Amino acid sequence: MSSTPLEHMHLLPRSTAHQAATRTVLVLGNGHDSLHKIARRVGDMCGHGQQADVRSVVCHREDTGIEHAVLRRLLDTPGGEPLPPHKARHAALEHITGLLTRSPVLLAIGDAQWCDQGTLRCIDHLSRSTAGLPLTIVLNVAPGALATATAPFLELMTRKDWTVVDATALAPDGTGPADGAVPGAPHPHEPDPLRVARASALLKSTDEELVAALTGLPTGVTRRALHESRDLGLLPEDGAPPSPGSLLDALPAAERERMRTQAAEILNDAARPARQVADLLLGLSALDRPWMAAVLKEAATEARPDHPASSVSYLNRLHEADPDDATTRTELATALLDIDPAAARAHLVGLLSHTDDPDVRARITVPLWLSALMTHRTPETPAALGGVLRALRDGAPDQAPPRTRPEPAGTSPLSGDGPRECLVRAVDALRTALAGTDPDAATADAHHVLKAEPPHTAWERVSAAKVLGLADETEAALPHLDRIVADSERRQETWAEYHARSTQALLLLETGRVCEAYRTALAATRLAERHGWGQRTRLAPVTLTLALLARGEPGRAESVLRRLGARKLDDTVWDHHLYLMARALVARAHGRVEQALDLLERCGASLDSAGVRNPVFTKWWLYSTGLLMELGQPRAARERAELGRHLAEQWPRADSSGLSLLALGMTAGPADRVELLAESVRVLAGTAHRYSYAVAELRLGQELLQQRDDAAARSRLQAARATAVRSGMAAVAEKARSALAAAGGRRPALSGAEQAVARLAADGATNRAIADTLYLSVRTVEYHLTSVYRKLGIDGRAGLAEWPSLPEPGAAARALSDRR
């Protein structure tokens, strides 16, 4: 099939008569006429008269995928199996030839942009095989529909015997202005709309000078052609260039290559932005001109700050052209770190094994260690992180990190804000935090990393945020994570976005924002699944499991863990230990206490072996204390509580101290238990860890109930329930409700007026309506509601709807009336 450009396409001149001959006419628009009328008028202009046999059919979008669908309807042969192309063409030719022996024939196809490829091939065959016979083929499309036409349709338009006409130019009597021209006769100076549309799409510009240079047409002719291209729907009405798409698909590969090369050269000569030129170079099979590599390098540099994914595309094309260029490969690996650290590491290891150049080896030191940490080749244990620090100090990128005792805190070998210095601070902060030895030094380094300009890789910043979370500065860490997520999403750094979202979900859970943590963990999990990372990292689904447990959905939590499979996670400090804890909590929620305890003990032993001694990293010791008490093993429980106290003393922060007091309170004797639990509540109330605070209030309330201090117990249980309800911690809220119910219906003593007001407010009545119903002033109603909220430990009316044992409105009102 011909693929000649549209230099022969032209508008149809009007005529009153024409010799009978096969022609194909493209009619733009319908002029408010039916397809049949349009076909008749074209037939009149072609000299067929009213005796012509008109066959018409309208295409539908689904026809594009059904071979010969339109042809069958056009020739009245619907259904049946599709014929091979050569048989379909022969059958159509035979059928049309038979019709032509009786009268001229008009074949009209409406919405022809949806015509299937088999029918288009037959139309092309018919137009060439019936030359000299009175056959006219009319294809009718809306002007704007050409922009969405398929490549085969646009290719057919390149045939020189096609004619284009505006439907509004067809006079009702079948005639037009008598200019003496014959329809379909070549117009010697008519521009080629498709040629300029293709050029505009390639150049991504409607600049007349640039388009003229690419098409070889004079500027004035190009200007008219651009206007006509918009009229035909090949260019958008607003003057914006179209996407190349099907406009270029109809061209042979060699022609596309030639046009891309020429377009790139034109834009480069016009000093257009390097990225605009580089986008064209990406589609070339060879970079065979000296300036091309220079443009790609410049474009990669331009794109790196805000569009690293584009920078990777340009650098990857350069690497393909010259695999031995160490500079390009180093830059490519660095740009890939926050997008695909595994691919970045493959490039860096390849460089390391093929070069002895000390400058190259020095340049890849930082990205090589970062890639090792990101891909868990170097686990985030204190000993391994200490090895990274030594390697960064000594500049030995090819030395494996030794598994030795961690260095003392505060021994960072470098200072400043460069890439190496920032990595050193991040590694040192994380190492110190995991070892649980010096929170002040760790947080100082973490804050320095998060404030460094320009920002460095996501691993450093997210690690710094993790350190703040471990040091009871979660509220300071979360805004930084918000920015990292937003930046990485905007920059299309997929790994960085996943890493930041996963950590963000974990910290949100600790602060008691369970619903938000659930949504964030779910988004991160889906992101990993989309990119095929499900087997490489598990932090998001593990956090999702913990959020589901907090929401009181242990069944769903267990199904998420089941989907994770049995892959070992020992090389991932965060994923592995949080995974063990999540499994233990799921088992506990299903009543499998001994299994839960065994998993927690495994978690603790693994952490100890890894040198991770931060008491708030997993809180395995706290959960183990509770389970041991539940199993009637108070001595073992006290040992676990004492371990927690020792760890908290080494990492003196409010949250670790509060958790230690909680564990000690659970194991203490009756005389000391309430005092220790109350102190735990007091300390945790001043932290961001609302989940732990709610649990402490619940434990204290349950103990007070055991000691028959009902008033104090109700106050604590209501506080636990209120905090849990606000935070979405359904499991804790349910336990608090159960504890209140177990107290025999004991509840805060509400006066008769307070009960009546609370019941009506719970049913949705306004303060004015309550006042009118109970014959009170609005101010009195407000006073009673404030008292009710304080006594029940809730924030407002939403909490009233969930509060049990409020009297019915009528009963409350009668009680108030009787009291009066």
Side-chain angles (χ1 to χ4, degrees), residues 759-776:
R759 180 69 267 175
L760 291 170
D763 289 343
T766 64
N767 288 358
R768 168 56 64 188
I770 294 171
D772 292 343
T773 300
L774 301 179
Y775 303 102
L776 301 171

Side-chain angles (χ1 to χ4, degrees), residues 586-733:
V586 166
R588 186 188 69 173
H590 284 91
R592 303 190 294 268
V593 179
E594 292 183 352
Q595 180 190 3
L597 182 60
D598 177 65
L599 287 164
L600 289 171
E601 294 297 322
R602 283 172 53 191
C603 179
S606 177
L607 284 170
D608 186 63
S609 174
V612 178
R613 295 182 177 84
N614 190 297
V616 297
F617 182 74
T618 65
K619 299 190 288 292
W620 72 273
W621 52 273
L622 177 64
Y623 295 119
S624 179
T625 300
L627 289 177
L628 287 166
M629 290 295 293
E630 190 175 333
L631 290 170
Q633 302 179 39
R635 179 176 296 179
R638 279 193 292 274
E639 290 177 0
R640 288 287 167 266
E642 282 298 321
L643 172 63
R645 182 186 63 78
H646 173 71
L647 295 174
E649 288 174 353
Q650 299 299 311
W651 186 257
R653 280 294 187 259
D655 56 347
S656 59
S657 299
L659 293 173
S660 170
L661 288 165
L662 177 58
L664 291 169
M666 286 190 287
T667 62
D672 299 324
R673 199 172 298 161
V674 169
E675 183 180 351
L676 286 168
L677 291 174
E679 182 64 10
S680 169
V681 167
R682 186 191 68 77
V683 173
L684 288 172
T687 71
H689 290 234
R690 307 316 294 164
Y691 185 87
S692 298
Y693 164 71
V695 171
E697 286 277 25
L698 175 63
R699 287 279 187 179
L700 178 57
Q702 290 171 330
E703 179 59 31
L704 288 167
L705 277 179
Q706 290 291 322
Q707 298 192 17
R708 311 303 295 176
D709 189 346
D710 294 352
R714 283 195 298 268
S715 175
R716 296 302 185 179
L717 292 171
Q718 289 156 10
R721 177 187 172 279
T723 301
V725 168
R726 283 195 300 270
S727 302
M729 297 180 284
V732 175

Side-chain angles (χ1 to χ4, degrees), residues 302-523:
E302 283 182 7
R304 181 68 194 279
D306 296 312
H307 303 279
S310 297
S311 182
V312 166
S313 298
Y314 304 140
L315 291 168
N316 194 57
R317 185 67 188 87
L318 284 168
H319 175 61
E320 290 173 354
D322 186 1
D324 297 327
D325 188 332
T327 300
T328 296
R329 200 170 186 186
T330 302
E331 292 175 359
L332 174 58
T334 305
L336 275 168
L337 277 173
D338 279 337
I339 297 173
D340 188 346
R345 180 164 179 79
H347 282 294
L348 292 166
V349 171
L351 271 169
L352 196 63
S353 62
H354 288 91
T355 183
D356 293 323
D357 187 333
D359 291 335
V360 173
R361 297 173 78 84
R363 285 202 306 272
I364 67 175
T365 299
V366 170
L368 184 64
W369 281 112
L370 272 170
S371 70
L373 291 165
M374 290 173 168
T375 57
H376 308 300
R377 297 301 181 99
T378 297
E380 294 175 340
T381 63
L385 293 171
V388 173
L389 287 175
R390 286 189 294 276
L392 289 170
R393 178 193 60 204
D394 299 336
D398 53 342
Q399 182 179 355
R403 307 303 178 94
T404 60
R405 178 178 56 83
E407 296 178 354
T411 58
S412 299
L414 301 168
S415 61
D417 294 329
R420 184 188 294 254
E421 292 82 356
C422 198
L423 178 59
V424 164
R425 286 183 179 273
V427 170
D428 201 19
L430 186 60
R431 178 184 63 91
T432 303
L434 291 176
T437 55
D438 190 345
D440 292 335
T443 54
D445 275 339
H447 282 297
H448 189 97
V449 170
L450 290 170
K451 293 176 182 176
E453 292 292 341
H456 299 290
T457 63
W459 185 91
E460 295 157 291
R461 292 182 291 158
V462 173
S463 295
K466 286 179 177 178
V467 169
L468 295 183
L470 292 173
D472 196 24
E473 295 189 26
T474 307
E475 293 299 337
L478 286 171
H480 288 288
L481 288 170
D482 285 338
R483 284 192 290 274
I484 297 169
V485 168
D487 289 346
S488 56
E489 189 173 18
R490 173 179 56 82
R491 291 157 56 89
Q492 297 179 309
E493 292 177 323
T494 47
W495 183 89
E497 182 185 351
Y498 171 82
H499 190 42
R501 282 189 187 278
S502 301
T503 303
Q504 186 182 43
L506 189 62
L507 296 191
L508 285 168
L509 188 62
E510 288 296 331
T511 61
R513 300 176 219 182
V514 176
C515 294
E516 194 175 348
Y518 168 79
R519 290 192 298 269
T520 304
L522 185 61

Side-chain angles (χ1 to χ4, degrees), residues 566-586:
R567 174 180 173 267
K568 286 187 66 178
L569 300 173
D570 298 14
D571 57 342
T572 57
V573 172
W574 296 82
D575 298 19
H576 177 57
H577 297 100
L578 289 171
Y579 171 71
L580 288 175
M581 191 179 73
R583 284 183 60 195
L585 296 181
V586 166

Side-chain angles (χ1 to χ4, degrees), residues 165-178:
V165 63
D166 187 339
T168 58
L170 296 174
D173 59 356
T175 64

